[in-house]
């Protein structure tokens, strides 16, 4: 999930206002409201005639094909670029190795001066946060379930973005190295992303339009199997607003407006957008997917990104 990395690399030294407490306390609000508001709704991927078949249907999105999957940034930023590898065995991630390397292959973790300066400024350095990121992915198996690491938020968002892209490759067994043309200008065109599985009756559908190297339109939404927007589900909006203080009609519009505004800046980055309280879970998905679309726009790849999203069994 990017344009430029400031000092931390892979997605945020210009620290965003996402605090660890906000992320963990707020993360499930939207999902819980979704379950309540959509209780009368039939989800195409989460509902079946029996509990056993439902569990099988819901968990199938996590099937990964054994192998080694790699990703590499093409360009250095502040002397380093990201390289990332995951190993899948028996359908599970058994190894995660994300690192920042210089042109000689030396790790940022071993740069004593860098670690000392960043730790003094942000409370944590790459030696520590990279270990946390990698351990968390093996433990959680799902990038969206990993808690943000305070002081390394920019890198955290990049880690989530790249981990998600590697997992998408592992689901189809594509072991070709993913190349990220980080820092490259965005190429004009329309770029799209779509979740394959419904959760509580809806899936994310997202497109951006790039014109003259800038994002001029952001169209993120949640749609049901008939293409109806969650924004138009009156009952859902009312219940979520009562519980969380905001509903999809409001927060989806805010997400889209903020992305266009942020990316109009010279060093714009989706991770710099302020978290929307009450819709934190959806916010993190939005940022993750926006970064993937930006990576596609850097390469000019207009092929629809299909996310075989994991839907937790109940």
């Amino acid at each position: 999930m990017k344009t430029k990395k400031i000092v931390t690399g892979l997605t945020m030294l210009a620290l965003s206002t996402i605090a660890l407490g906000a992320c963990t306390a707020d993360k499930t609000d939207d999902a819980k409201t979704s379950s309540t508001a959509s209780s009368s709704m039939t989800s195409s991927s989460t509902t079946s005639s029996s509990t056993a078949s439902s569990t099988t249907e819901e968990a199938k999105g996590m099937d990964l094909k054994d192998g080694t999957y790699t990703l590499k940034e093409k360009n250095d930023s502040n002397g380093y670029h990201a390289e990332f590898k995951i190993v899948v065995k028996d359908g599970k991630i058994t190894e995660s190795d994300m690192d920042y390397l210089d042109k000689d292959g030396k790790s940022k973790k071993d740069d004593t001066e860098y670690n000392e300066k960043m730790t003094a400024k942000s409370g944590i350095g790459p030696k520590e946060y990279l270990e946390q990121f990698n351990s968390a992915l093996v433990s959680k198996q799902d990038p969206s379930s990993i808690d943000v690491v305070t002081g390394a938020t920019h890198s955290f968002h990049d880690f989530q973005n790249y981990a998600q892209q590697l997992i998408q490759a592992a689901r189809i067994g594509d072991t070709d190295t993913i190349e990220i043309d980080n820092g490259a200008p965005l190429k004009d065109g329309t770029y799209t992303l779509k979740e394959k599985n419904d959760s509580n009756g809806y899936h994310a559908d997202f497109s951006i339009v790039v014109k003259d190297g800038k994002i001029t339109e952001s169209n993120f939404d949640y749609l049901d199997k008939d293409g109806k927007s969650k924004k138009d589900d009156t009952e859902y909006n009312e219940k979520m607003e009562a519980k969380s203080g905001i509903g999809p009609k409001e927060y989806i519009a805010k997400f889209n407006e903020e992305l266009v505004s942020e990316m109009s800046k010279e060093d714009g980055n989706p991770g710099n957008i302020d978290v929307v309280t009450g819709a934190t879970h959806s916010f993190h998905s939005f940022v993750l997917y926006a970064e993937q679309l930006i990576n596609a726009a850097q390469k000019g790849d207009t092929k629809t990104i299909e996310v075989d999203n994991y839907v937790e069994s109940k």
Side-chain angles (χ1 to χ4, degrees):
M1 124 235 270
K2 80 180 176 41
T3 52
K4 289 186 178 180
K5 304 186 296 299
I6 312 294
V7 176
T8 58
L10 218 129
T11 335
M12 304 170 50
L13 182 78
L15 300 175
S16 78
T17 57
I18 309 171
L20 177 60
C23 177
T24 53
D26 218 5
K27 182 175 180 182
T28 57
D29 282 358
D30 185 47
K32 288 179 179 177
T33 305
S34 175
S35 179
T36 302
S38 305
S39 58
S40 61
M41 221 175 268
T42 301
S43 165
S44 65
S45 67
T46 61
T47 304
S48 63
S49 58
S50 69
T51 301
S53 60
S54 175
T55 300
T56 301
E57 182 72 14
E58 289 171 331
K60 71 177 183 180
M62 283 304 285
D63 290 340
L64 306 181
K65 293 178 171 57
D66 289 2
T68 299
Y69 302 89
T70 56
L71 176 149
K72 182 178 180 179
E73 289 181 336
K74 293 176 65 175
N75 310 305
D76 283 357
S77 177
N78 297 298
Y80 290 94
H81 64 272
E83 293 196 14
F84 199 167
K85 176 185 76 175
I86 64 170
V87 176
V88 176
K89 186 175 181 181
D90 298 328
K92 298 290 185 182
I93 299 169
T94 58
E95 294 179 34
S96 172
D97 182 14
M98 178 192 153
D99 202 353
Y100 295 108
L101 304 179
D102 67 12
K103 59 183 176 59
D104 298 319
K106 182 179 178 181
S107 171
K108 186 185 285 187
K109 294 181 294 187
D110 300 325
D111 187 331
T112 302
E113 182 181 4
Y114 190 106
N115 275 266
E116 288 176 350
K117 287 183 176 180
M118 184 175 174
T119 301
K121 181 179 178 64
S122 305
I124 195 169
K127 186 173 183 178
E128 183 178 355
Y129 71 67
L130 286 169
E131 182 178 345
Q132 288 189 33
F133 292 167
N134 288 315
S135 296
L137 182 60
V138 173
S139 174
K140 300 282 189 178
Q141 297 287 307
D142 178 9
S144 66
S145 297
I146 300 172
D147 291 335
V148 64
V149 175
T150 304
T153 318
H154 187 79
S155 293
F156 167 79
H157 278 290
D158 268 353
F159 179 84
Q160 276 196 320
N161 173 20
Y162 294 163
Q164 180 65 37
Q165 293 193 45
L166 288 169
I167 286 171
Q168 285 164 207
R171 283 179 177 140
I172 59 174
D174 184 356
T175 57
D176 289 346
T177 297
I178 299 168
E179 289 192 341
I180 303 294
D181 197 3
N182 53 308
L186 307 186
K187 296 176 175 60
D188 289 2
T190 299
Y191 302 90
T192 57
L193 178 150
K194 182 177 180 179
E195 289 181 339
K196 293 177 66 175
N197 309 308
D198 282 357
S199 177
N200 298 299
Y202 290 96
H203 62 269
D205 196 287
F206 196 175
S207 70
I208 60 171
V209 176
V210 177
K211 187 176 181 181
D212 299 327
K214 298 289 185 182
I215 296 176
T216 57
E217 293 180 34
S218 173
N219 301 296
F220 174 82
D221 204 352
Y222 289 109
L223 305 179
D224 67 12
K225 60 183 176 61
D226 298 318
K228 182 178 178 181
S229 171
K230 188 184 284 188
K231 296 180 296 186
D232 300 324
D233 187 330
T234 303
E235 181 184 4
Y236 188 107
N237 275 266
E238 289 176 349
K239 288 185 176 181
M240 185 171 177
E241 286 172 6
K243 181 178 179 64
S244 303
I246 194 169
K249 186 173 183 179
E250 183 180 353
Y251 73 68
I252 287 173
K254 185 179 288 290
F255 290 170
N256 288 317
E257 290 168 5
E258 289 296 321
L259 181 63
V260 174
S261 175
E262 172 63 26
M263 295 306 297
S264 68
K265 303 172 184 176
E266 183 179 354
D267 293 324
N269 190 302
N272 293 337
I273 300 171
D274 289 345
V275 65
V276 176
T277 303
T280 315
H281 187 71
S282 292
F283 170 81
H284 288 306
S285 293
F286 174 80
V287 170
L288 179 66
Y289 293 159
E291 288 175 337
Q292 287 199 50
L293 288 170
I294 288 168
N295 289 158
Q298 287 168 332
K299 294 188 291 186
D301 185 357
T302 57
K303 181 181 177 181
T304 297
I305 300 168
E306 289 193 342
V307 178
D308 195 1
N309 52 308
Y310 173 52
V311 180
E312 291 185 9
S313 48
K314 298 181 178 67

